[in-house]
Amino acid sequence: MPDIAVIGGGPVGSWTAFRLAKMGHRVTVLEKRPGIGEKHCCTGIISQECAAKYDISPHLIFRQVNSARIISPSGLSLGVKRPETQACIVNRQAFDRALAVKAQSQGVEYLLNTGAEDISFKPNGIQIKVEVQGKVGYLSAQAAVLATGFNAPLIKRLGFGQPDYLVAGVQA
């Protein structure tokens, strides 16, 4: 039984799993897709601060940018430019895979094709109902981290509701 189950193998899930494993926890990541980095709902634009803080390998960066054009719904636009790099456009698939490899280097186990359907609380931890290729199973852990992304059904099922516009994180 892992100490912590991380639900979602994207950048947040893999980075969290890496950090928890580095602190000595046994961590398992549950990812519903057959591979890491397969489908994305957001771009590969990250801040320069993020690229530096998380030591993003230069080979994952397509381009560094220092300007943007912001276009309002009415069609008016505003250009902004700074002399220094503000953001990096990364190869999102390779970025996701690199973070998973980093987590695995700390002993994190990845269960692919494993969707988390529900979580119930037990006296000694939690039980996660999972679906693996159409079959239902259960995984026990001491705790879970939900790194499922913005619109995951599990978030609603657990009572966290549906965010209106933007969510940086939810914790309970």
Side-chain angles (χ1 to χ4, degrees), residues 38-78:
E38 297 222 339
K39 184 179 177 190
H40 304 102
C41 62
C42 57
T43 65
I45 300 174
I46 61 173
S47 70
Q48 180 63 27
E49 180 183 9
C50 177
K53 181 175 182 175
Y54 298 106
D55 195 26
I56 306 300
S57 173
H59 84 275
L60 298 175
I61 299 172
F62 283 137
R63 184 172 177 212
Q64 295 178 312
V65 295
N66 66 340
S67 64
R69 178 154 308 279
I70 302 162
I71 303 171
S72 73
S74 68
L76 295 175
S77 68
L78 171 68

Side-chain angles (χ1 to χ4, degrees), residues 132-169:
V132 182
Q133 298 176 346
K135 295 180 181 171
V136 173
Y138 294 90
L139 176 82
S140 295
Q142 296 299 309
V145 173
L146 304 178
T148 58
F150 182 69
N151 199 21
L154 181 60
I155 300 295
K156 288 181 254 180
R157 200 172 301 121
L158 293 174
F160 289 110
Q162 174 61 43
D164 289 333
Y165 295 103
L166 174 67
V167 171

